[in-house]
Coordinates of all heavy atoms in Angstrom, one line a residue:
G1 N 99.4 23.9 -69.3 CA 98.6 24.2 -70.4 C 97.6 23.1 -70.5 O 97.6 22.1 -69.9
P2 N 96.7 23.2 -71.6 CA 95.6 22.3 -71.8 C 96.2 20.9 -72.4 O 97.3 20.9 -73.0 CB 94.7 22.9 -72.8 CG 95.6 23.8 -73.6 CD 96.5 24.3 -72.6
P3 N 95.6 19.8 -72.1 CA 96.0 18.6 -72.7 C 96.0 18.6 -74.2 O 95.1 19.1 -74.8 CB 95.0 17.5 -72.1 CG 93.7 18.2 -71.9 CD 94.2 19.6 -71.5
L4 N 97.1 18.0 -74.8 CA 97.1 18.0 -76.3 C 96.9 16.6 -76.8 O 96.6 16.6 -78.1 CB 98.5 18.5 -76.7 CG 98.9 20.0 -76.3 CD1 100.3 20.3 -76.6 CD2 97.9 20.9 -76.9
L5 N 97.1 15.6 -76.1 CA 96.9 14.3 -76.7 C 95.6 13.8 -77.0 O 95.3 13.3 -78.0 CB 97.7 13.3 -75.9 CG 99.2 13.5 -75.9 CD1 99.9 12.4 -75.1 CD2 99.9 13.4 -77.3
R6 N 94.7 13.8 -76.0 CA 93.4 13.2 -76.1 C 92.4 13.8 -75.1 O 92.8 14.2 -74.0 CB 93.7 11.6 -75.7 CG 92.3 10.9 -75.6 CD 92.5 9.4 -75.5 NE 93.0 8.9 -76.8 CZ 93.4 7.7 -77.0 NH1 93.6 6.9 -76.0 NH2 93.8 7.2 -78.1
E7 N 91.2 13.9 -75.7 CA 90.1 14.3 -74.8 C 88.9 13.4 -75.2 O 88.8 13.0 -76.3 CB 89.6 15.7 -75.2 CG 90.6 16.8 -74.6 CD 90.2 18.2 -74.9 OE1 90.0 18.5 -76.1 OE2 90.0 18.9 -73.9
T8 N 88.0 13.2 -74.2 CA 86.8 12.4 -74.5 C 85.6 13.4 -74.2 O 85.5 14.1 -73.3 CB 86.7 11.2 -73.4 OG1 87.9 10.4 -73.6 CG2 85.4 10.5 -73.6
F9 N 84.7 13.4 -75.2 CA 83.6 14.3 -75.2 C 82.3 13.4 -75.0 O 82.2 12.4 -75.7 CB 83.4 15.1 -76.4 CG 84.5 16.1 -76.6 CD1 85.7 15.7 -77.4 CD2 84.5 17.3 -76.1 CE1 86.7 16.6 -77.6 CE2 85.6 18.3 -76.3 CZ 86.6 17.9 -77.1
T10 N 81.4 13.9 -74.1 CA 80.1 13.1 -74.1 C 79.2 13.9 -75.1 O 78.8 15.0 -74.8 CB 79.5 13.1 -72.7 OG1 80.4 12.5 -71.9 CG2 78.1 12.5 -72.7
V11 N 78.9 13.3 -76.3 CA 78.1 13.9 -77.3 C 76.7 14.1 -76.8 O 76.0 15.1 -76.9 CB 78.2 13.2 -78.6 CG1 77.4 13.8 -79.7 CG2 79.7 13.2 -79.0
K12 N 76.2 13.0 -76.3 CA 74.9 12.9 -75.7 C 74.9 11.7 -74.8 O 75.8 10.9 -75.0 CB 73.7 12.9 -76.7 CG 73.8 11.8 -77.8 CD 72.7 12.0 -78.9 CE 73.0 11.3 -80.1 NZ 71.9 11.4 -81.1
P13 N 73.9 11.5 -74.0 CA 74.0 10.3 -73.1 C 74.1 9.0 -73.9 O 73.3 8.8 -74.8 CB 72.6 10.4 -72.4 CG 72.3 11.9 -72.4 CD 72.8 12.4 -73.7
G14 N 75.0 8.3 -73.5 CA 75.2 7.0 -74.3 C 76.2 7.1 -75.4 O 76.4 6.1 -76.1
L15 N 76.7 8.2 -75.8 CA 77.7 8.4 -76.9 C 78.8 9.3 -76.5 O 78.7 10.4 -76.3 CB 76.9 9.0 -78.1 CG 77.7 9.3 -79.3 CD1 78.5 8.0 -79.8 CD2 76.9 9.9 -80.4
E16 N 80.0 8.6 -76.5 CA 81.3 9.3 -76.2 C 82.1 9.3 -77.4 O 82.2 8.3 -78.1 CB 81.9 8.7 -75.0 CG 81.3 8.9 -73.7 CD 82.1 8.5 -72.5 OE1 83.1 7.7 -72.6 OE2 81.8 8.9 -71.3
M17 N 82.9 10.5 -77.5 CA 83.7 10.6 -78.7 C 85.1 10.8 -78.1 O 85.3 11.8 -77.3 CB 83.2 11.8 -79.6 CG 84.1 12.1 -80.7 SD 83.4 13.5 -81.8 CE 83.3 14.8 -80.6
V18 N 86.1 10.1 -78.6 CA 87.5 10.3 -78.2 C 88.2 11.0 -79.3 O 88.2 10.6 -80.4 CB 88.2 8.9 -77.8 CG1 89.6 9.2 -77.4 CG2 87.4 8.2 -76.7
V19 N 88.8 12.1 -78.9 CA 89.5 12.9 -80.0 C 91.0 13.0 -79.6 O 91.4 13.4 -78.5 CB 89.0 14.4 -80.0 CG1 89.7 15.2 -81.0 CG2 87.4 14.3 -80.4
D20 N 91.8 12.7 -80.6 CA 93.3 12.9 -80.4 C 93.8 14.0 -81.2 O 93.3 14.4 -82.2 CB 94.0 11.5 -81.0 CG 93.8 10.3 -80.2 OD1 93.9 10.4 -78.9 OD2 93.5 9.3 -80.8
Y21 N 94.8 14.7 -80.7 CA 95.4 15.9 -81.2 C 96.8 15.8 -81.8 O 97.6 15.0 -81.3 CB 95.3 17.1 -80.3 CG 93.8 17.4 -79.9 CD1 93.3 16.8 -78.7 CD2 93.1 18.3 -80.6 CE1 92.0 17.1 -78.3 CE2 91.8 18.6 -80.2 CZ 91.2 18.0 -79.0 OH 90.0 18.2 -78.7
A22 N 97.1 16.4 -82.9 CA 98.4 16.5 -83.4 C 99.2 17.6 -82.5 O 98.6 18.3 -81.7 CB 98.5 17.0 -84.8
A23 N 100.5 17.7 -82.7 CA 101.4 18.6 -81.9 C 100.9 20.0 -82.1 O 101.2 20.8 -81.2 CB 102.8 18.3 -82.2
N24 N 100.4 20.3 -83.3 CA 99.9 21.7 -83.6 C 98.6 22.0 -82.9 O 98.2 23.1 -83.1 CB 100.0 21.9 -85.1 CG 99.0 21.1 -85.8 OD1 98.3 20.4 -85.2 ND2 99.2 21.2 -87.2
G25 N 97.9 21.1 -82.3 CA 96.7 21.3 -81.6 C 95.5 20.9 -82.5 O 94.3 21.0 -82.1
N26 N 95.7 20.6 -83.8 CA 94.7 20.2 -84.6 C 94.3 18.8 -84.4 O 95.0 18.0 -84.0 CB 95.0 20.4 -86.1 CG 95.2 21.8 -86.6 OD1 94.8 22.7 -85.9 ND2 96.0 21.8 -87.6
V27 N 92.9 18.5 -84.7 CA 92.4 17.1 -84.5 C 93.1 16.3 -85.5 O 93.2 16.5 -86.7 CB 90.9 17.1 -84.6 CG1 90.3 15.7 -84.7 CG2 90.2 17.9 -83.6
C28 N 93.6 15.1 -85.1 CA 94.2 14.1 -86.0 C 93.4 12.8 -86.0 O 93.4 12.1 -87.0 CB 95.6 13.8 -85.6 SG 95.9 13.1 -84.0
K29 N 92.5 12.6 -85.0 CA 91.8 11.3 -85.1 C 90.6 11.4 -84.1 O 90.7 12.0 -83.1 CB 92.7 10.1 -84.6 CG 92.0 8.8 -84.6 CD 93.0 7.5 -84.4 CE 93.9 7.6 -83.3 NZ 94.6 6.4 -83.1
I30 N 89.4 10.8 -84.6 CA 88.2 10.7 -83.8 C 87.8 9.4 -83.7 O 87.7 8.6 -84.8 CB 87.1 11.6 -84.4 CG1 87.5 13.1 -84.5 CG2 85.8 11.4 -83.6 CD1 86.6 14.0 -85.3
Q31 N 87.6 8.8 -82.4 CA 87.0 7.4 -82.3 C 85.7 7.4 -81.8 O 85.4 8.2 -80.9 CB 88.0 6.7 -81.4 CG 89.5 6.7 -81.8 CD 90.4 6.0 -80.8 OE1 90.1 5.0 -80.3 NE2 91.4 6.8 -80.4
L32 N 84.9 6.6 -82.3 CA 83.4 6.5 -81.9 C 83.2 5.1 -81.7 O 83.8 4.1 -82.2 CB 82.5 7.0 -83.1 CG 82.6 8.6 -83.5 CD1 82.0 8.8 -84.7 CD2 82.1 9.3 -82.3
P33 N 82.1 4.8 -80.8 CA 81.7 3.4 -80.4 C 81.0 2.8 -81.7 O 80.6 3.4 -82.6 CB 80.8 3.7 -79.4 CG 80.3 5.0 -79.4 CD 81.4 5.8 -80.1
P34 N 80.8 1.5 -81.7 CA 80.1 0.8 -82.9 C 78.7 1.1 -82.9 O 78.1 1.3 -84.0 CB 80.3 -0.6 -82.5 CG 80.4 -0.8 -81.0 CD 81.2 0.6 -80.7
M35 N 78.0 1.5 -81.8 CA 76.6 1.9 -81.8 C 76.3 3.1 -81.0 O 77.1 3.3 -80.0 CB 75.7 0.7 -81.4 CG 75.8 -0.4 -82.3 SD 74.5 -1.8 -82.2 CE 74.6 -2.0 -80.4
G36 N 75.3 3.9 -81.2 CA 75.0 4.9 -80.4 C 73.5 5.1 -80.2 O 72.7 4.3 -80.7
P37 N 73.1 6.0 -79.3 CA 71.7 6.1 -79.0 C 70.8 6.6 -80.3 O 71.2 7.5 -80.9 CB 71.7 7.2 -77.9 CG 72.9 7.9 -77.9 CD 73.8 6.9 -78.5

């Protein structure tokens, strides 16, 4: 099945967002860099 713990999304060039998931599949945490484009 699909990964449940963590995914990294490229929001736009130079900006990546890391998303962690709870056991139920809902987003539990989003991590962003200090600066973006």
Side-chain angles (χ1 to χ4, degrees):
L4 296 177
L5 291 179
R6 175 173 281 172
E7 287 184 302
T8 302
F9 297 93
T10 301
V11 176
K12 54 184 163 180
L15 177 55
E16 288 188 348
M17 172 176 63
V18 178
V19 179
D20 292 315
Y21 297 94
N24 62 8
N26 292 341
V27 174
C28 63
K29 182 169 51 171
I30 298 172
Q31 298 174 55
L32 296 167
M35 296 193 309

